[in-house]
């Protein structure tokens, strides 16, 4: 399981753990979700440094609410994503968020 605050572009792996804190105060970056997610896989992304620089979450071949990427570019923004096949379209769905 990966621990600590993400501060640069790294892929998110299946064993990463649900909570993904990130710090874009040094500049924006992109993270890629797992290429082979399982139904119900969930990640909670949380910006921890009051920065409006962009974190871009790449669906890595899967869509996020119908788009290839999701951009988080406001201070303390949070998004919880869950991979679902229940909608008839296998994709990542934003199920919670603030900011």
């Amino acid at each position: 399981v990966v621990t600590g605050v993400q501060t640069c572009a790294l892929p998110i792996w299946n064993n990463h753990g649900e909570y993904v804190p990130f710090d874009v105060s040094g500049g924006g970056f992109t993270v890629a979700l797992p290429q082979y997610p399982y139904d119900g896989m969930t990640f909670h992304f949380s910006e921890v440094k009051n920065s409006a620089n962009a974190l871009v979450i790449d669906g890595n071949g899967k869509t996020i609410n119908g788009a290839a990427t999701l951009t988080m570019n406001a201070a303390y923004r949070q998004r919880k994503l869950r991979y679902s096949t229940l909608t008839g379209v296998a994709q990542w769905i934003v199920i919670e968020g603030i900011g």
Side-chain angles (χ1 to χ4, degrees), residues 6-91:
Q6 294 239 170
T7 58
C8 63
L10 290 172
I12 304 297
W13 300 98
N14 288 10
N15 65 344
H16 189 283
E18 181 176 319
Y19 180 58
V20 185
F22 64 93
D23 173 6
V24 290
S25 62
F29 57 89
T30 299
V31 295
L33 292 168
Q35 186 175 10
Y36 301 107
Y38 57 83
D39 195 42
M41 178 179 265
T42 303
F43 293 106
H44 179 163
F45 292 89
S46 180
E47 201 284 315
V48 298
K49 290 287 184 154
N50 192 26
S51 175
N53 291 328
L55 173 73
V56 177
I57 303 170
D58 185 330
N60 201 3
K62 308 289 190 253
T63 60
I64 303 169
N65 284 7
T69 62
L70 173 70
T71 300
M72 295 175 61
N73 58 353
Y76 298 117
R77 179 165 279 186
Q78 296 184 34
R79 292 290 181 266
K80 193 170 204 176
L81 306 178
R82 179 167 294 146
Y83 187 74
S84 177
T85 59
L86 299 177
T87 62
V89 177
Q91 67 175 328

